[in-house]
Amino acid sequence: MIALAFLAQTLRIAIPYLFAAAGGVISERAGLIALTLEGYMLGGAFCAALGSYYSGSAWVGVLAGAAGGVALALLYAISAIRFLGDQVVVGIAVNLLVIGLTRFFLRLAFDSSSNSPRVAGFGAERSGTGFAALATNPLIWMGIASIVFVGWLLYRTPFGLRVRAVGEHPAAAKSVGIPVARVRYLSAALSGAVAALGGVYLALDQHQFTAEMTAGRGFIALAATIFGRWDPARAALACLFFAAAETLQIQLQGTQVIASQFVEMIPYALTIVALAGVVGRAVPPAALGKVVD
C-alpha cells in the first residue's frame, strides 16, 4: 500500500512536468530554446483560474489557460523570429514579464496579491493520493496523452518532419520550399498551449491560483527535455524521475530524520546531477537558438 501511494503521488506530481516537457520538446525540436516553459505554466495557471472563476466551468478554465499559453508563446516567437532577438534573453524576459503581470492582474481581478478565491476545478477539493482519486481528474490522462501526442506528431506526421527539419537545418528546409518562419510560429504556439496545461493542472487541482505557484517546475521540465535528449518518451521518463525525487522529499519531510533544508534540495540537486551527466554528450538540434533570417 505504501508503494502504491508513493507511485500515485509521483504520477500526480509528474503531470505538470509531462505537459511542460511535451511543450519543451516541440519548441526545441523546432530550434526555439524553451526557457519560457516556466512563464507558459504560470500564465496558463492564472488564465485558467480567471476563466474558471468568472465562468464557473473548469473546462472554460482549461481553454483559457491554453489560450494564455499560446499568447505568451507568440510573444516569444515574434521577438525571436520576427525581430531576431536573442532567445535566451527573450525567454528570461517573458518569464519575468509573466511574474509581474500575474501579480498585477491578480490584484486587479481579485483584490489580492497572493492568491485567487476558490475556483471550479476537477475532482474533490480534498482529493486523496490514491489512484482512485487521480481518476477523477481528466487532466491526469491529458498529461499522459500529451507525451503520446507529441511523439506521434514529431515522428508520424508531415508537420513533425518539417519541425525536425527546421530545427536541424533551416537553410536546407527553406531550399525545398518549407516555410521556416511559419513552422516555427506554429511550433511555438503549440508548445505554449501544451506547456500552459501544466499550470492549468496546478490551478484547477488546487482550486485556486497562488502567486508564483509553478515554483520552478518549468525549469525542471526543461531539464527533463534535455535529459531526455529531446525525445518525448525519454523526457517523460525524466519527468517521472524528478517527480519521484520530489515525492521522496515530501515523504522525508514527514519523518524529520534529515534537516528540512537538505530535504528541500533533493529534486534540484538531482536535476543538476542528471544534467551534469548529459550535457556534453547529448547532441541538441543543430539550429537550436540560432537566428534564422
Side-chain angles (χ1 to χ4, degrees):
M1 293 298 293
I2 296 176
L4 287 176
F6 184 89
L7 290 174
Q9 190 169 11
T10 297
L11 179 59
R12 182 175 182 175
I13 291 172
I15 296 303
Y17 297 142
L18 291 175
F19 275 124
V25 169
I26 297 171
S27 179
E28 299 226 330
R29 291 302 289 264
L32 297 170
I33 298 175
L35 267 177
T36 46
L37 294 179
E38 181 77 5
Y40 297 162
M41 291 180 72
L42 187 60
F46 177 77
C47 290
L50 198 65
S52 180
Y53 178 78
Y54 284 106
S55 70
S57 169
W59 284 110
V60 172
V62 171
L63 294 176
V70 171
L72 291 170
L74 290 177
L75 174 63
Y76 170 59
I78 291 170
S79 301
I81 300 171
R82 173 66 179 84
F83 296 104
L84 307 179
D86 184 285
Q87 293 180 18
V88 173
V89 175
V90 174
I92 294 173
V94 169
N95 289 333
L96 294 175
L97 175 66
V98 174
I99 292 173
L101 284 178
T102 51
R103 283 189 176 274
F104 174 78
F105 284 110
L106 188 62
R107 179 170 289 279
L108 190 66
F110 305 117
D111 195 27
S112 171
S113 60
S114 58
N115 59 271
S116 72
R118 305 296 288 181
V119 302
F122 294 110
E125 293 201 12
R126 294 187 178 272
S127 59
T129 57
F131 286 103
L134 298 182
T136 63
N137 191 339
L139 287 172
I140 296 282
W141 307 108
M142 290 172 64
I144 297 171
S146 67
I147 292 294
V148 178
F149 168 73
V150 171
W152 169 79
L153 182 73
L154 287 177
Y155 301 122
R156 294 289 186 270
T157 67
F159 177 73
L161 179 61
R162 292 186 174 194
V163 170
R164 288 182 286 130
V166 165
E168 289 293 340
H169 205 309
K174 187 175 182 180
S175 69
V176 295
I178 295 176
V180 174
R182 186 186 306 171
V183 170
R184 284 193 164 188
Y185 276 120
L186 290 174
S187 299
L190 185 58
S191 171
V194 175
L197 290 177
V200 171
Y201 170 83
L202 292 173
L204 298 187
D205 185 61
Q206 298 177 24
H207 292 262
Q208 68 175 166
F209 174 83
T210 304
E212 299 183 46
M213 68 186 304
T214 50
R217 288 179 175 87
F219 297 112
I220 294 180
L222 176 59
T225 301
I226 299 170
F227 186 55
R229 302 191 179 190
W230 301 274
D231 177 76
R234 290 178 179 176
L237 292 176
C239 290
L240 291 172
F241 171 74
F242 293 137
E246 190 171 336
T247 303
L248 178 63
Q249 169 207 338
I250 295 171
Q251 299 290 338
L252 289 176
Q253 281 180 333
T255 63
Q256 297 182 344
V257 174
I258 306 174
S260 61
Q261 294 88 343
F262 292 102
V263 171
E264 291 173 0
M265 290 169 54
I266 290 176
Y268 305 100
L270 287 178
T271 301
I272 294 171
V273 171
L275 284 179
V278 172
V279 174
R281 291 186 297 171
V283 180
L288 180 61
K290 295 182 178 179
V291 174
V292 178
D293 294 326

